[in-house]
Amino acid sequence: MLKVGITGGIGSGKSTVAQVFETIGIPVYYADLEAKNLINNSEEIRIQIKQLLGEGAYSQEGYNKRYVAQKVFKNKELLLQLNEIVHPAVRAHFNSWASSQQNTPYVLKEAAVVENKEGIDYLIYVHASKETRLNRTLSRDIQRSKDEVMGIIEKQKSPEEFRALADFEIKNEDQLLIEQVLQIHKKLIFS
Ligand code: ATP
């Protein structure tokens, strides 16, 4: 099964683009959502995260995001170790999901964090300017402050870094998405 990634910075429109692909029948795996499911429901991951960060990582209500965020916020090494627990589990889950998909020329994996193209045949980068991303994110996530979103934007990859990894780019500023999606779709089905 051909595997295609969709990535881009916060508020660039990854999910929106993924939904356009869904309307033409392509199955999409939303990696952040699935990671949350695994963190909350996989016993194996729960054990490993507790070993890394302490019992407080989970409470009666489940995963304690606040506690975890405080632990890893200023500790890059811990954050890396946490990712080393979660990312391989998501990759394995995606692979088994992908192999269960039938009657489709390819599947999509929507993910904000892409370090390399491991396990992915092609990568689509969704681009929008910083200003657009900031405005869209603030309108969508009313609880977030401008400083918080700018902080996230500055920590994420630059357009040049995304482009160095990507095979296709979708411009999500004022351009129509459907036409760009159909162009990439055609290239993918003939690849
Ligand atoms: P995140 O990284 O935070 O998950 P994302 O890259 O998946 O974000 P979306 O959630 O798809 O981005 O888009 C961010 C917001 O911008 C959403 O509210 C979405 O409806 C809106 N949006 C996306 N594309 C457009 C567009 N072309 N025109 C207007 N609004 C848009």
Side-chain angles (χ1 to χ4, degrees):
M1 178 62 73
L2 194 65
K3 294 173 185 145
V4 181
I6 300 185
T7 193
I10 185 170
S12 58
K14 296 177 291 297
S15 306
T16 307
V17 168
Q19 283 159 21
V20 177
F21 275 97
E22 279 187 308
T23 64
I24 59 165
I26 304 300
V28 180
Y29 182 92
Y30 292 90
D32 289 352
L33 206 73
E34 298 292 351
K36 276 182 202 144
N37 281 341
L38 287 169
I39 285 170
N40 277 301
N41 301 318
S42 157
E43 192 54 32
E44 213 179 310
I45 292 184
R46 180 189 297 255
I47 291 167
Q48 290 181 63
I49 292 182
K50 276 189 184 175
Q51 269 171 1
L52 179 70
L53 303 174
E55 287 292 316
Y58 287 84
S59 67
Q60 296 276 43
E61 287 78 44
Y63 186 59
N64 189 341
K65 201 174 156 189
R66 237 185 130 129
Y67 171 94
V68 173
Q70 274 170 2
K71 282 262 173 189
V72 301
F73 184 61
K74 283 196 178 133
N75 191 331
K76 235 178 161 180
E77 184 51 36
L78 268 187
L79 178 62
L80 277 176
Q81 288 178 32
L82 178 64
N83 286 340
E84 275 166 26
I85 296 171
V86 179
H87 288 173
V90 174
R91 214 177 302 138
H93 187 252
F94 166 68
N95 286 337
S96 101
W97 171 87
S99 56
S100 72
Q101 300 302 313
Q102 279 163 5
N103 303 322
T104 180
Y106 59 95
V107 295
L108 288 168
K109 181 185 190 185
E110 189 252 31
V113 178
V114 176
E115 292 311 331
N116 52 49
K117 276 170 60 186
E118 207 177 296
I120 288 288
D121 300 296
Y122 295 101
L123 185 63
I124 300 168
Y125 162 53
V126 181
H127 176 80
S129 68
K130 271 188 196 175
E131 197 190 0
T132 300
R133 289 162 58 199
L134 175 67
N135 291 336
R136 285 184 186 155
T137 306
L138 290 176
S139 313
R140 185 194 57 190
D141 307 338
I142 46 166
Q143 79 287 2
R144 279 184 151 147
S145 69
K146 185 175 171 183
D147 281 354
E148 184 191 347
V149 178
M150 276 315 289
I152 295 172
I153 289 178
E154 296 306 337
K155 264 200 239 153
Q156 290 181 324
K157 283 192 168 48
S158 66
E160 290 67 36
E161 288 169 320
F162 276 120
R163 285 179 182 129
L165 289 171
D167 302 284
F168 303 102
E169 178 168 337
I170 289 185
K171 297 199 188 311
N172 187 21
E173 207 73 42
D174 302 319
Q175 300 86 341
L176 280 183
L177 290 176
I178 186 72
E179 285 171 9
Q180 300 181 76
V181 164
L182 288 176
Q183 256 186 29
I184 293 172
H185 175 73
K186 270 190 218 150
K187 287 186 184 154
L188 288 171
I189 55 180
F190 293 120
S191 69

